[in-house]
Amino acid sequence: GGTATAPGAAAAAPKPLMPPDKKFIKDAGKSIYYELQIAEFAKTGATSDATKKFAELVNKELNKAWETLGELAKAKGETLPAELTGGDKSSAERLKKTKGDNFDKLFFREILKEAKSLERDFVSAAKLTTGDGDVKSFATNYLAIVKGHVNDGEKAEKASQKKP
C-alpha cells in the first residue's frame, strides 16, 4: 500500500537539519577537503614511497566520500567548502613549501591530526539517534574508511621514516 503523494511533492524543500547534523556536514566537509588538498601535494612533495602510497589511498577513498557528502549536503540544502580557510589554509601553504624528508614528517603530522578529528566526527554522527537518517547512514558507511586512514597513516608514517 502506501498513500499517493501529490505530483511535485518530491521536489519539496529539504527538511532543515538539526544543528549536530549541520555541524557534522560542515566539519566533515572541511576535514575531507583539507585532507584531499594535502594528499594532492604529496604526489610531488613526498620523498618516501610509503607517503605517496598513503596519499594515493586517501585521495581515492576521500574523493568518493567527498562526492557522496556533496550530494547529501545538496539534498539537505547545505554547502561544502570550496576553499581552505584559516588554520587549514596556512598549514597547507606551509606544507606546499616544505621539501625533502621534512615534507613527509609535516604531511603525516597534519593528515593524522585531521584524520583523527574526522574519525571523532564520524563516530559521533554514526551514534546519533536523533537527527537525520541519511547523515547517520553516510557516517556509518564511511566510518571504517575514516578509521582505516588513522591506522594506515600511522603505519605509513613509520615506514616513511625508515631509510633504505
Side-chain angles (χ1 to χ4, degrees):
T3 55
T5 49
K15 197 172 107 231
L17 289 176
M18 307 278 279
D21 289 329
K22 267 187 154 85
K23 189 176 180 327
F24 170 72
I25 288 180
K26 194 171 146 259
D27 292 348
K30 206 165 141 306
S31 290
I32 291 172
Y33 190 75
Y34 178 62
E35 284 192 49
L36 285 172
Q37 292 294 319
I38 66 174
E40 209 38 55
F41 301 157
K43 284 181 182 170
T44 49
T47 53
S48 154
D49 276 349
T51 310
K52 286 184 180 158
K53 280 201 180 84
F54 178 65
E56 272 167 32
L57 173 82
V58 166
N59 214 342
K60 196 177 84 190
E61 294 184 337
L62 285 187
N63 259 312
K64 208 166 146 46
W66 176 255
E67 275 171 33
T68 313
L69 184 63
E71 287 158 18
L72 177 64
K74 206 166 137 194
K76 305 295 173 183
E78 299 294 318
T79 49
L80 293 184
E83 58 181 1
L84 295 175
T85 53
D88 286 351
K89 190 177 182 181
S90 40
S91 297
E93 279 164 4
R94 189 168 68 242
L95 184 65
K96 206 173 181 177
K97 292 188 193 108
T98 306
K99 299 277 176 277
D101 290 348
N102 284 335
F103 177 93
D104 298 61
K105 279 194 192 98
L106 186 59
F107 170 77
F108 279 113
R109 200 177 76 200
E110 287 300 321
I111 204 147
L112 285 170
K113 188 176 73 185
E114 206 61 52
K116 283 171 186 167
S117 133
L118 193 59
E119 183 186 1
R120 282 193 298 273
D121 290 341
F122 271 75
V123 165
S124 50
K127 274 191 198 144
L128 266 187
T129 46
T130 57
D132 191 277
D134 298 333
V135 174
K136 186 183 165 91
S137 67
F138 168 77
T140 308
N141 290 341
Y142 280 94
L143 183 58
I145 286 174
V146 170
K147 279 187 163 162
H149 291 169
V150 175
N151 296 333
D152 296 343
E154 285 169 347
K155 283 186 198 123
E157 183 179 29
K158 283 193 184 83
S160 77
Q161 291 162 356
K162 289 192 174 77
K163 290 284 159 279

